[in-house]
């Protein structure tokens, strides 16, 4: 099945105690639910896999990638600003996100397989995302795969400014991959 893949990682999750981790997971769930609602993604159009310190979502191909990306660029920073504004350092939520597209199969046990998913996981773990997050004025670092860049970002859809994405070649355990990092004008 062709899907949009949204992978999200909670920065510094393992350094938190159980109470803080539970708070972070609830908050992330709320952020992702608000992103889905704002993008018009109903519960029947998304599947979610919990990864402890993060989440992977498969989103139906009928959901326009441009609308999903536009929503990520708008809702995630606003939500993180709202939840972090009064939060202590121990409860501050910082996210690394990757949006990709491609074919993913769901097996009889609910497991997900596919080269696009593997590549997206490699991008989420790429060394460049952690420093990008540390250097940001806000609390998230978003990158997109080549399929999302060439099919959506490069087309300069309304609310998805191509000039705010820059190409990065990253070394992964499977070799070099391209991704495009979002850098908002304020950075």
């Amino acid at each position: 099945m062709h899907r949009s893949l949204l992978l999200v990682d909670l920065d510094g999750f393992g350094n938190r105690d159980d109470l803080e981790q539970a708070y972070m997971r609830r908050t992330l769930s709320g952020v992702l639910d608000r992103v889905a609602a704002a993008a018009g993604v109903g519960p029947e159009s998304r599947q979610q896999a919990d990864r402890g310190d993060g989440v992977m979502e498969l989103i139906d191909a009928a959901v326009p990638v441009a609308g999903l990306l536009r929503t990520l660029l708008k809702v995630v920073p606003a939500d993180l600003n709202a939840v972090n504004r009064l939060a202590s350092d121990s409860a501050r939520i910082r996210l690394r996100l990757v949006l990709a597209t491609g074919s993913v199969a769901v097996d009889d046990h609910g497991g997900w397989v596919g080269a696009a998913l593997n590549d997206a996981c490699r991008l989420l773990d790429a060394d460049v995302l952690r420093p990008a997050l540390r250097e940001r004025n806000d609390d998230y670092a978003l990158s997109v795969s080549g399929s999302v860049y060439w099919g959506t970002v490069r087309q300069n859809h309304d609310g998805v400014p191509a000039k705010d994405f820059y190409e990065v070649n990253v070394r992964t355990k499977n070799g070099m991959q391209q991704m495009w990092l979002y850098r908002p004008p304020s950075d």
Side-chain angles (χ1 to χ4, degrees):
M1 302 175 287
H2 193 79
R3 297 285 184 254
S4 291
L5 305 120
L6 176 61
L7 283 68
V8 184
D9 185 76
L10 288 157
D11 187 59
F13 186 80
N15 299 328
R16 312 294 174 85
D17 66 31
D18 292 350
L19 187 60
E20 293 162 340
Q21 288 181 359
Y23 169 78
M24 293 173 80
R25 290 169 49 80
R26 279 192 314 274
T27 302
L28 176 59
S29 180
V31 169
L32 293 176
D33 287 348
R34 287 185 290 279
V35 165
V41 181
E44 71 287 349
S45 297
R46 65 193 272 230
Q47 292 177 278
Q48 196 174 78
D50 184 326
R51 293 296 176 239
D53 64 349
V55 171
M56 297 188 316
E57 288 207 14
L58 297 181
I59 300 167
D60 194 282
V63 174
V65 176
L68 182 57
L69 185 52
R70 185 173 30 255
T71 304
L72 286 169
L73 294 172
K74 193 182 225 182
V75 172
V76 170
D79 265 22
L80 291 177
N81 184 52
V83 299
N84 287 336
R85 195 166 59 92
L86 301 175
S88 67
D89 285 343
S90 66
R92 186 173 177 199
I93 307 287
R94 295 179 56 80
L95 302 176
R96 293 190 325 273
L97 301 98
V98 170
L99 182 62
T101 60
S103 295
V104 177
V106 179
D107 66 25
D108 293 338
H109 303 286
W112 303 352
V113 296
L117 180 61
N118 294 341
D119 289 345
C121 288
R122 302 286 181 270
L123 295 179
L124 186 65
D125 288 335
D127 289 337
V128 71
L129 269 181
R130 285 175 179 84
L133 181 57
R134 280 192 302 270
E135 296 166 3
R136 298 288 304 258
N137 294 328
D138 46 26
D139 293 313
Y140 76 107
L142 171 67
S143 66
V144 300
S145 67
S147 61
V148 172
Y149 179 81
W150 294 108
T152 302
V153 174
R154 186 170 173 267
Q155 308 310 315
N156 239 352
H157 290 273
D158 186 36
V160 182
K163 66 179 177 34
D164 294 342
F165 286 82
Y166 66 98
E167 182 180 2
V168 178
N169 291 308
V170 296
R171 183 173 309 282
T172 71
K173 70 181 186 180
N174 291 351
M176 296 300 287
Q177 279 185 252
Q178 290 178 304
M179 70 179 192
W180 281 260
L181 278 172
Y182 174 67
R183 182 184 308 143
S186 63
D187 283 356

